[in-house]
Amino acid sequence: MLAGKRILLLVAGGIAAYKSLDLIRRLRERGASVRVVLTASGAKFVTPLSLAALSGDKVYGDLFSLTDESEMGHIRLSREADLLVVAPATANILARMAQGLASDLATTVLLATDKPVLAAPSMNTRMWEHPATRANIATLMSRGTLFVGPGAGNLACGEVGDGRLADVMDIVAAIESYFSASAPLAGKRALVTSGPTFEAIDPVRFIGNRSSGKQGHAIAAALARLGADTTLVSGPVAEPDPAGVRVVHIESAREMLEACQAALPADVAVCAAAVADWRVRDAAGQKMKKGASGTPSLDLVENPDILATLSAAGNARPRLVVGFAAETENVIANAQAKRAKKNCDWIVANDVSANAGVFGGDENTVHLISANGVEDWPRMAKDAVADQLAQRIRDHLSKVA
Ligand code: PMT
């Protein structure tokens, strides 16, 4: 259920902060990745070192850290999360959230985020029952903040009553139930191609290209986060396999085609791979020797076109076939011609000329071309392009269900 989900855990300063360690462990066991923001008072109860060891990531806490702000600003912390979880949510942090204060990194992230927030309150019973806290909770609920707990029982202060942090497994269940309600592509199958293909010249040399797989992998991860049962067919890349995605590693275009056909049926196919158009007709069985018979010439033959094959797959054709067009000139016109030739429903055009920095870079400027016309999207992180494309796929599949 949580495979591939990205949780940003904000740990505030309460005696229950130590339970965040178990929470991280439980979430990661279920396939989620957890990144932690720790408040200054939270650090009095639990160490950044323990949180970093369990989350497998750096712990963030300083709003004015030059390195963090340049490498991983508060906006990016929020952008790279699917859900923000405040646990323990003390009376103090809930009050600051209700007031809209941005007095440290945690509250700045909470104010700047457009992602859902789940809070697990934890405090003394009198603080929980205080009219100020009641008013803060009501304000936050009216703005859509989700809550789990608190429970009732013996409190660390020696009193008995409401205010105990919800059991860790109840917090996990609340997170799972949030995601199951927000998995609009659950029950749908997605196929994504990514990366280059390598076409052997001999056992050590190949024809390849500069695709890093960043864009295709991000699309597979975004579709999986929306609940799609996702298969990623990837050429040789350095990108890690996205969590929650079935990955088939291939080298050549013919292997990619075979893996794609084996992954059918699918509701949507997105062909983001940079497939080599040609391969060497007869790759040498042994390493070719220099100078033996002058400079070799390569006899090339055309590779199968995976996008066109999926678009023409008859009954097995995915309901939505999306291609990419990598162009260095006349981007829109060439992409429109490719859409028509390959008979796909949508084509995502991008300018891959050297100065655009798209191959291997972290950002992309794309144009979504469909029967309805051309939509120009602004320059964005490849992750954001992937999220936006996944949302559009979700909208489309929900209409043609
Ligand atoms: O991997 P990155 O470094 O993140 O870079 C991303 C990207 C530039 C590779 C990606 O955004 C992109 O544009 N992918 C398509 C690259 C490409 O091969 O474009 P094309 O215009 O040559 O091909 C058009 C479409 O046909 C593509 O969907 C391609 O996957 C598909 N094709 C092409 C040839 C072939 N034999 N089979 C195919 O399926």
Side-chain angles (χ1 to χ4, degrees):
M1 173 60 72
L2 295 182
K5 302 291 186 263
R6 303 165 303 173
I7 312 279
L8 184 66
L9 177 64
L10 301 108
V11 180
I15 190 74
Y18 75 94
K19 293 190 183 165
S20 58
L21 297 172
D22 193 29
L23 179 58
I24 294 169
R25 203 164 58 87
R26 303 289 179 181
L27 293 173
R28 291 195 70 201
E29 273 169 10
R30 284 161 178 73
S33 64
V34 184
R35 182 171 272 161
V36 179
V37 173
L38 180 64
T39 66
S41 42
K44 306 271 185 214
F45 294 90
V46 61
T47 68
L49 195 59
S50 313
L51 292 163
L54 282 168
S55 66
D57 197 352
K58 184 178 165 178
V59 170
Y60 298 85
D62 187 355
L63 180 58
F64 299 107
S65 157
L66 283 179
T67 48
D68 287 358
E69 274 299 307
S70 54
E71 287 165 14
M72 173 65 68
H74 56 279
I75 302 292
R76 198 168 144 207
L77 282 167
S78 152
R79 188 190 295 143
E80 293 186 358
D82 301 306
L83 176 69
L84 276 58
V85 177
V86 190
T90 58
N92 179 286
I93 200 165
L94 290 170
R96 290 190 291 149
M97 287 164 68
Q99 288 289 310
L101 295 180
S103 45
D104 61 5
L105 181 63
T107 47
T108 304
V109 172
L110 286 160
L111 190 60
T113 192
D114 58 354
K115 298 295 170 63
V117 178
L118 172 74
S122 166
M123 65 197 76
N124 163 273
T125 244
R126 287 175 214 284
M127 291 167 86
W128 175 247
E129 286 168 359
H130 194 286
T133 305
R134 309 306 319 144
N136 290 335
I137 299 283
T139 301
L140 291 169
M141 276 181 163
S142 72
R143 292 184 197 143
T145 303
L146 307 166
F147 284 88
V148 51
N154 294 325
L155 301 176
C157 53
E159 295 182 6
V160 179
D162 286 339
R164 254 173 91 94
L165 182 73
D167 284 346
V168 165
M169 291 314 294
D170 288 341
I171 301 176
V172 171
I175 293 170
E176 286 181 330
S177 102
Y178 164 76
F179 281 116
S180 65
S182 69
L185 289 180
K188 300 279 190 291
R189 287 169 61 98
L191 167 64
V192 180
T193 69
S194 181
T197 62
F198 285 0
E199 310 296 331
I201 296 172
D202 67 16
V204 296
R205 303 179 179 93
F206 59 85
I207 300 172
N209 62 66
R210 298 179 195 281
S211 170
S212 64
K214 285 182 182 174
Q215 188 62 84
H217 279 50
I219 292 166
L223 290 167
R225 279 197 297 278
L226 292 186
D229 175 351
T230 305
T231 301
L232 172 65
V233 181
S234 173
V237 293
E239 284 294 291
D241 290 353
V245 169
R246 189 179 310 104
V247 186
V248 183
H249 296 275
I250 54 82
E251 282 223 334
S252 68
R254 285 182 295 176
E255 288 166 1
M256 183 171 270
L257 175 63
E258 200 177 310
C260 287
Q261 286 172 323
L264 295 177
D267 296 279
V268 56
V270 182
C271 293
V275 185
D277 287 315
W278 302 279
R279 68 176 185 277
V280 175
R281 184 184 300 277
D282 293 307
Q286 303 297 330
K287 184 181 172 192
M288 291 160 68
K289 297 285 178 218
K290 205 162 102 180
S293 51
T295 306
S297 55
L298 300 177
D299 181 13
L300 299 179
V301 289
E302 204 166 310
N303 263 328
D305 193 301
I306 297 154
L307 176 62
T309 307
L310 291 174
S311 297
N315 287 344
R317 186 192 197 275
R319 279 190 288 156
L320 180 63
V321 180
V322 184
F324 266 72
E327 304 295 339
T328 53
E329 55 180 353
N330 303 326
V331 174
I332 305 289
N334 285 342
Q336 283 168 323
K338 261 180 200 167
R339 175 175 168 265
K341 185 170 169 220
K342 302 196 182 206
N343 201 22
C344 56
D345 302 297
W346 301 351
I347 202 152
V348 182
N350 45 194
D351 182 347
V352 293
S353 41
N355 56 4
V358 170
F359 268 113
D362 290 325
E363 295 186 335
N364 204 353
T365 311
V366 306
H367 313 268
L368 178 62
I369 300 174
S370 67
N372 298 330
V374 181
E375 263 180 48
D376 301 321
W377 293 6
R379 188 166 185 81
M380 286 189 262
K382 283 181 176 170
D383 285 343
V385 170
D387 278 331
Q388 195 158 318
L389 185 63
Q391 305 282 352
R392 299 300 294 271
I393 290 169
R394 177 203 62 187
D395 294 347
H396 180 86
L397 291 183
S398 69
K399 277 189 226 134
V400 295

